[in-house]
Amino acid sequence: MRASATFEVEAFTPVDPPVDTGAETGCTVAVVRMVKRYEGDVMGRSTTVFTYALDDTNIGAYVAMEAFEGSLDGRTGTFNFSHSATTNGDDRSNESFGIVPASGTGELTGITGSGGISVEADGTHRLWFEYQIPD
């Protein structure tokens, strides 16, 4: 099945103290806690641990782990999903996106799958899941 939504970031809070990687590179490494709100086939919110390495022109990469609570196509519950990408300013490449096995609860128990994120020219953020839930 496929479920899609738009989302907005409601909170973007740096984790304090900052990450000490022990090495100085051309990119700043940081960890933030994000809260996102989803609307569409995916309804609810997630809390995200977002780690990134970016230079001052937004070239770099990120890795994120999300804990989602809400509904997909009307089925309610919770689950985790992870995603990462390389950025070269405004574009995305080397993307990875997956639902964490065994993380589903409620009507989302047993959920598996993949998905993706895109950002439109006007700044609209979209997310979709290609998922399966056992009968």
Side-chain angles (χ1 to χ4, degrees):
M1 300 186 76
R2 182 180 175 101
S4 61
T6 58
F7 70 89
E8 292 188 16
V9 175
E10 293 184 339
F12 189 89
T13 308
V15 172
D16 193 33
V19 175
D20 179 3
T21 63
E24 289 196 32
T25 67
C27 293
T28 299
V29 176
V31 177
V32 297
R33 179 181 179 273
M34 298 170 68
V35 176
K36 297 178 185 176
R37 173 82 46 201
Y38 298 89
E39 292 190 20
D41 301 332
V42 180
M43 295 288 292
R45 67 185 292 273
S46 70
T47 300
T48 308
V49 176
F50 187 84
T51 304
Y52 64 88
L54 295 173
D55 73 3
D56 56 2
T57 64
N58 286 329
I59 296 174
Y62 80 89
V63 176
M65 179 63 67
E66 302 208 25
F68 173 80
E69 179 176 29
S71 65
L72 269 71
D73 294 324
R75 293 180 178 217
T76 61
T78 65
F79 64 94
N80 298 99
F81 62 98
S82 64
H83 52 97
S84 64
T86 301
T87 64
N88 191 11
D90 293 332
D91 68 345
R92 297 167 53 88
S93 60
N94 302 314
E95 293 180 88
S96 172
F97 191 111
I99 296 172
V100 177
S103 67
T105 68
E107 294 176 311
L108 301 174
T109 298
I111 189 169
T112 59
S114 62
I117 295 175
S118 65
V119 181
E120 296 178 1
D122 67 359
T124 300
H125 286 69
R126 296 197 180 277
L127 167 133
W128 63 92
F129 294 104
E130 297 286 346
Y131 70 95
Q132 303 79 40
I133 299 174
D135 292 333

